[in-house]
Amino acid sequence: MVKRRTVLWGGVATAGALVIGWGALPPRQRLRTGQPLPTAGGQAALNGWLKIGADNSVTVMMAKAEMGQGTHTGLAAILAEELDADWPQLRLEMAPIDDIYNNLATVVDGLHFHPDNDGSIKAVAGWLTAKTMREVGVMMTGGSSSIKDLWLPMREAGASARAMLVRAAAAQWNVQAAECTVQAGVVEHAAGQRASFGELAALAAQQPLPGKVVLKEAAQFRLIGKPLTRIEARSKLDGTAVFGIDANPPGLLHAAVVMCPTRGGKLLRMDAAAAEKLPGVKKVLAVDALNGGTGAVAVIADTPWHARKAAATVTVEWDHGPAAALSSAAVYEQLAQALDQAKGFGYHQSGDAPAAMQGAARTITADYRAPYLAHAALEPINCTVQFKDGAATVWTSTQVPDLARAAAAKVLGIAEDKVEVRQLLLGGGFGRRLEVDYVAQAAAIARAADGAPVQTLWTREQDTQHDFYRPACMARFKAGFDASGKLVAWDNLSVGQAIVPQVLGRIFGLPGAGPDKTTSEGAFDQPYEWPHARIAHEIVALPLPVGFWRSVGHSHQAFFKESFMDEAAAAAGQDPVAFRAGLLQKHPRHLQVLQKAAELAGWGQPLAADASGAKRARGIALHQSFGSIVAQVAEVSVAADSKAIRVHRVVCVIDCGAAINPNLITQQMESAVVFGLTAALHGEITVDKGQVQQANFHDYPLLRMADCPRTEVHIVPSAEPPEGVGEPGVPPIAPAVANAVFALTGQRLRSLPLRLA
């Protein structure tokens, strides 16, 4: 008998007391959509997450974007587990826009509470935030939240559908439902009757949704925890996978854009006479700066080549806007001034840091810096829109389909229910496709196409130079030690732009208010048991637009924090692993991850020189982000002539709670190491006269295959609920490399990208 856990999702059980008021109730059910799911070919919808066909196929309604992270495979496995479906039965279909698919987890996690905080204020705030997001939230893929957000809804959907199938079989056979069992897509009765899901689907859909569902115990999982093959792998191998850039509706036209070279600028005037005379050109038009984007001229033509050729002949005059005088030097000067003058908003305080610092026998201090970064996804920005007969269809790769729909509807002046969004695979996202500027721009262009569908496609240069960048940031640290070398005080102030207020402004037209957790995440929300600590951030206003970038604030704050942690260890005369371990005595999960990474990497054992005679050293970093704990050890050498840093080996240990699919976790850790190393060794966006200086991969390079390290991933077994995986592997790699460089050369690298003098 499979043991299951009962979940009441229709209300709350109370012991002799009546709970009154909306605020006391849990978030409303996430099983029924507002409108019935569309069905075809003998399908029956059993709830908002799955349809079963007469051919015995099980179609999972997918509410999250697939951009290489394996979300579709992981979520399908969770639902199939509780449904007791056979894995080959499963199919995927992108979910319609509906409130049951809103992302609750990301916004709840965005509340600026320390992970160790288990107080009632945090609990109530999270409860009310989840309830609110269920009603007025956003369908979003981001924040490494897909599995975490849908862990229970997908299980409940599978379990409730399973119960309906069993009831249908019991009614058909005139037996008790408790006498029936389910395995691999078949319902059976002890007397010998058996029926496939497909045979029972129509009758099952007529059964009422059960008031409670019973979930499996972890020991009975057949699919969860197994290295299942990615569900979209075959289509990517045989070329049938359809990404945003592959949209090709009948009669497709193509648009090329010329955008103001200064980010945020707009068009003053243009002369399109020459372009309009060229072959294949249908129309030339001006496009406003929409949703935080940049003003542009667009050329619609028969082919991408005709459009691009004609766009190059348009003469334009620009209003370069408030960023026209901006330079990288000015950015860092302003950040440095803020670092000297500001006190910042305090995100975490323990004890009395100023007094402890004043009474310390010894103190050390250091400043760190990180640059702007572009997303540089391999699929450049694109969107295809058809506006015809007062309705629109949008084909795009997006992380926010409902916001994309709203942006298109606003530009076209129609109701949102007149816009159909067809979500396609993403050739990388990393947070860039949380924005809707490109959707609004494409809709504005399609409005002028007389009913024909138009694909707007940016060049690589436009993608790089018209991004919403990872913020530049600076941080100042100070540590105090007593006479025996024990750390007694920790002070950290960082300065930089805030992302959330900008996003609220350009997408919703709302003013940002209150602290933005993303500015200080990775600094204040860490497990270290500092006796006295103060961690703060000061928001600095700058004209270059910023956005969510893979691992967001953790991406640079981890570099700052873990590098200075090594500095503190050196000042205390302790081994970096032992020093960290001493500050984790009340955090056994973190301590286990740290020690396992050190063990697997051979920490403390001598390293032989490589074939060229170059010496090697190891560096370590530990970081918690998106609910997961990751430690990485980097094995590094430095070229004697060029001083180039080479990373040969990375040992990565992760505790992400329950491992839904070990293959996907390993792939994401390997991906994160390469992504993080690209940023650590090469990534830097610079600005001169308001214009981004980098354009393509020749001056904004990716890590090459030949330079990728051997990456060894170890997943810590856990019975805890699943946490984030897509982003947590990025933050530790830069400090691990920097700490290895110090161990090898004695030189502290406090600025990204990492370069030796």
Side-chain angles (χ1 to χ4, degrees), residues 251-257 275-276 278-285 287 297-304 306-308 310-311 314 385 441-456:
L252 181 66
L253 298 176
H254 299 268
V257 292
E276 291 169 341
L278 291 176
V281 173
K282 303 295 185 183
K283 193 162 292 187
V284 182
L285 66 149
V287 184
V297 173
V299 177
I300 303 173
D302 290 336
T303 70
H306 284 108
R308 182 60 51 202
V314 179
V385 180
Q441 184 190 71
I445 294 169
R447 184 177 53 194
D450 301 322
V454 183
Q455 182 183 79
T456 301

Side-chain angles (χ1 to χ4, degrees), residues 325-553:
L326 188 69
S327 68
S328 293
V331 167
Y332 291 124
E333 182 180 353
Q334 191 168 341
L335 292 178
Q337 289 176 354
L339 201 58
D340 289 336
Q341 300 169 5
K343 292 185 177 180
F345 174 85
Y347 281 87
H348 175 71
Q349 297 186 59
S350 61
D352 189 340
M357 198 73 72
Q358 188 173 2
R362 182 190 177 196
T363 62
I364 62 170
T365 187
D367 291 356
Y368 284 82
R369 190 176 89 175
Y372 289 109
L373 292 178
H375 293 85
L378 290 183
E379 180 190 11
I381 289 295
N382 66 87
C383 182
T384 301
V385 180
Q386 183 173 26
F387 180 48
K388 185 178 182 180
D389 300 329
T393 304
V394 178
W395 295 263
T396 193
S397 46
T398 177
Q399 295 173 245
V400 281
D402 51 349
L403 297 184
R405 181 180 70 172
K410 183 177 181 180
V411 169
L412 298 172
I414 57 177
E416 290 184 21
D417 60 9
K418 295 293 185 181
V419 179
E420 178 188 358
V421 176
R422 299 188 183 180
Q423 294 184 73
L424 304 175
L425 294 172
L426 283 65
F430 314 126
R432 177 60 178 94
R433 284 166 169 85
L434 289 168
E435 304 288 345
V436 297
D437 57 311
Y438 62 98
V439 177
Q441 184 190 71
I445 294 169
R447 184 177 53 194
D450 301 322
V454 183
Q455 182 183 79
T456 301
L457 174 63
W458 291 11
T459 65
R460 169 62 54 195
E461 290 78 8
Q462 289 170 336
D463 191 310
T464 303
Q465 296 176 336
H466 294 83
D467 203 346
F468 296 96
Y469 303 96
R470 198 278 304 271
C473 190
M474 295 182 71
R476 178 166 294 160
F477 288 83
K478 190 174 183 180
F481 304 85
D482 65 15
S484 67
K486 180 183 177 182
L487 180 73
V488 294
W490 180 275
D491 185 86
N492 171 211
L493 171 67
S494 57
V495 295
Q497 290 167 268
I499 298 169
V500 172
Q502 287 199 25
V503 172
L504 291 175
R506 61 182 173 246
I507 294 182
F508 299 104
L510 299 173
D516 176 0
K517 178 192 173 184
T518 68
T519 60
S520 188
E521 63 183 2
F524 84 94
D525 50 1
Q526 297 304 296
Y528 291 119
E529 298 149 15
W530 297 298
H532 301 273
R534 180 182 185 273
I535 301 169
H537 182 88
E538 179 77 12
I539 295 175
V540 178
L542 292 163
L544 198 66
V546 294
F548 298 108
W549 189 90
R550 189 176 183 182
S551 74
V552 203

Side-chain angles (χ1 to χ4, degrees), residues 228-241:
L228 300 171
T229 302
R230 290 175 71 125
I231 207 164
E232 84 285 7
R234 181 176 294 277
S235 67
K236 289 180 175 177
L237 289 171
D238 65 21
T240 59

